[in-house]
Amino acid sequence: MKVLSSSSLRRLLPVLMVCLSLVTSPLMAQTPQPQPQPQPQQPQVQTMIPAPPRLAAKSWVLMDADSGRVLAQHNPDERLPPASLTKLMTAYLVERELNSGNIASDDLVPVSERAWRTGGSKMFIEVGEQVPVSELLHGIVIVSGNDASVAMAEYLAGGAEPFADIMNQHAARLGMSNTHYMNPTGLPHDDHYSSARDQATLAQHIINDYPNHYSIYRQKHFSYGGIDQPNRNRLLWRDASVDGLKTGWTEAAGYCLVASAERDGMRLISVVMGTASEEARAQESQKLLSYGFRYYETLKLYDQGAVLNTPRVWGGDRNELKVGVDQDVFMTVPRDRNEELTAKLDIRADLTAPIAAGEQVGSMEVRLGDEVVGERPLLALEPVEEGGFFKRIFDKVQRFFANLLGGFFD
């Protein structure tokens, strides 16, 4: 029998150590379950959900502001005249410029004759005046000032037409595929249109992207130049949970309203377009909001930055990667069914360094029973740099044996 020398044993020792590490450590590190959802303390009676209400309107949408789930809809993508709902985009772009630091709230905006002469609803600014940006933003949102909208368009883009081009670029960026703007006011034009779904999407961005400006939308009155005007959103007086957003009317558009309300931490957005009167748009919006709050709830499943998994990484300066989500994850579900929520992680196999922070490495699917109610990308929450030479060689050997042994159990 051949006897191995001590030098031969020393050469075999690293391979033996690799095999031992494979036996004593788990091979499949890519499929742990996500953190469990809290279970109810006692059995709950499932809420029976009726069909959504039918409204006296051309189109409508009810959306949760956090999850983006649409709870009720009718002709949501029909292209209709938006009237002064247009000013939601005008205001959004003003808020965007304020947040970016490109303009300041106390910047003085000169009022041109064109702005002063613009027809329709007015803030009543005068030719030659210099009006602070903050005052014009209030005039756009609260009293739907066409004169204020044109003045801001001229200040930001040099005119109403180039400003409309910017509006269209941002509409495309936000995924508003059934929207096209010809002006910043909503005054009628054959090529000026939007949809209920697009208006809900825009409202969601106004609420979530620039929350520091959102308080303007709940103000009931605005005074400028000694003239006091009320906000035309009647729900602000009728429902304490309603805090926005904007009304609109032209003969072609009918009476429109984008409203939002928050109750017990749940925020809903309703859009109704093409109703017959001011009272009708308020009543129909109230029906949608009442339905959503009565029969649904929105749950926060994961916090931004939550670590949902730590899969094995090969060839890196560390062996594990923290995987999770880069924003809060909300899901809107029928009331009293939260115990049916499950999440499944699908993480890319054989993760190899280098991996950059923010790189997508998989996806998460959330189900309510058998129904898929949401999907989110899974991202690397930290970078993993390439390991040193010997680390990479060691990982290649270990990976070879992992794949080899894994094949025996297929």
Side-chain angles (χ1 to χ4, degrees):
M1 183 175 71
K2 186 176 181 180
V3 179
L4 293 175
S5 67
S6 60
S7 61
S8 299
L9 287 172
R10 283 196 300 270
R11 286 195 298 271
L12 283 173
L13 184 58
V15 176
L16 294 172
M17 290 177 64
V18 169
C19 294
L20 180 61
S21 70
L22 290 172
V23 172
T24 58
S25 63
L27 295 177
M28 302 303 291
Q30 307 248 0
T31 56
Q33 293 299 310
Q35 61 192 48
Q37 298 307 309
Q39 297 298 312
Q41 297 300 311
Q42 58 186 6
Q44 296 176 318
V45 177
Q46 182 173 322
T47 301
M48 305 305 290
I49 298 182
R54 301 290 297 178
L55 308 183
K58 290 182 179 178
S59 71
W60 62 82
V61 161
L62 177 66
M63 174 189 288
D64 183 87
D66 288 313
S67 69
R69 183 176 179 183
V70 173
L71 306 178
Q73 61 183 359
H74 175 71
N75 295 334
D77 300 314
E78 183 177 356
R79 295 179 175 182
L80 297 169
S84 285
L85 300 185
T86 298
K87 297 186 182 77
L88 288 175
M89 179 61 85
T90 303
Y92 176 78
L93 296 184
V94 175
E95 293 163 14
R96 181 181 175 87
E97 290 298 291
L98 285 167
N99 267 45
S100 68
N102 293 332
I103 61 174
S105 60
D106 57 357
D107 283 356
L108 296 178
V109 178
V111 178
S112 69
E113 183 172 348
R114 180 180 180 182
W116 174 72
R117 287 188 179 277
T118 304
S121 53
K122 289 179 175 291
M123 176 180 161
F124 296 105
I125 50 182
E126 298 291 337
V127 178
E129 269 191 295
Q130 294 201 353
V131 184
V133 167
S134 61
E135 293 285 276
L136 290 174
L137 181 56
H138 281 72
I140 292 167
V141 170
I142 302 168
V143 300
S144 200
N146 290 337
D147 49 359
S149 299
V150 173
M152 277 306 313
E154 292 175 339
Y155 184 66
L156 294 178
E161 291 76 15
F163 186 76
D165 183 59
I166 295 174
M167 295 170 76
N168 288 323
Q169 292 180 44
H170 282 280
R173 177 179 67 84
L174 299 179
M176 299 168 61
S177 57
N178 289 296
T179 295
H180 186 262
Y181 296 110
M182 293 299 295
N183 57 63
T185 62
L187 290 171
H189 191 288
D190 289 344
D191 291 327
H192 191 99
Y193 53 82
S194 189
S195 70
R197 190 193 307 276
D198 284 358
Q199 290 299 306
T201 297
L202 177 55
Q204 185 185 25
H205 279 279
I206 288 173
I207 293 165
N208 295 329
D209 293 357
Y210 308 119
N212 52 318
H213 298 294
Y214 186 64
S215 61
I216 297 174
Y217 295 83
R218 66 160 58 97
Q219 294 184 27
K220 297 178 180 178
H221 291 270
F222 177 66
S223 296
Y224 184 80
I227 301 173
D228 183 77
Q229 298 185 72
N231 193 317
R232 295 175 179 85
N233 183 357
R234 294 188 179 187
L235 293 184
L236 294 175
W237 279 266
R238 299 180 182 180
D239 185 339
S241 69
V242 174
D243 55 11
L245 287 142
K246 188 76 187 68
T247 61
W249 176 84
T250 62
E251 286 190 14
Y255 292 85
C256 309
L257 174 59
V258 176
S260 182
E262 184 176 27
R263 300 179 193 173
D264 299 323
M266 180 182 184
R267 176 174 288 282
L268 295 178
I269 297 165
S270 66
V271 181
V272 296
M273 301 181 72
T275 68
S277 67
E278 287 189 51
E279 181 60 25
R281 71 185 174 194
Q283 289 185 359
E284 303 305 83
S285 298
Q286 190 74 73
K287 290 178 186 177
L288 282 179
L289 293 171
S290 297
Y291 170 79
F293 286 122
R294 171 66 181 84
Y295 293 107
Y296 290 88
E297 61 182 334
T298 296
L299 307 172
K300 187 177 185 180
L301 302 189
Y302 303 107
D303 292 323
Q304 178 182 3
V307 178
L308 304 186
N309 203 275
T310 53
R312 178 69 159 91
V313 178
W314 303 102
D317 59 356
R318 66 186 75 178
N319 288 336
E320 291 184 343
L321 171 69
K322 292 180 179 179
V323 170
V325 288
D326 64 346
Q327 56 186 333
D328 295 340
V329 176
F330 294 90
M331 290 293 154
T332 303
V333 298
R335 286 196 175 274
D336 304 326
R337 292 187 62 190
N338 62 301
E339 71 277 6
E340 298 179 45
L341 280 173
T342 59
K344 176 185 176 183
L345 306 186
D346 182 12
I347 299 175
R348 200 168 71 214
D350 287 337
L351 292 172
T352 304
I355 297 173
E359 180 180 334
Q360 183 171 348
V361 295
S363 60
M364 175 175 64
E365 181 182 84
V366 180
R367 288 178 173 267
L368 181 70
D370 295 329
E371 177 189 5
V372 177
V373 293
E375 292 181 287
R376 297 291 186 274
L378 291 175
L379 308 176
L381 298 179
E382 59 185 357
V384 176
E385 303 297 336
E386 195 173 52
F389 174 76
F390 289 106
K391 176 63 164 59
R392 298 197 306 273
I393 293 298
F394 184 85
D395 274 12
K396 284 182 179 180
V397 174
Q398 189 176 22
R399 189 187 212 170
F400 169 78
F401 279 102
N403 292 333
L404 179 64
L405 293 180
F408 287 117
F409 298 99
D410 286 345

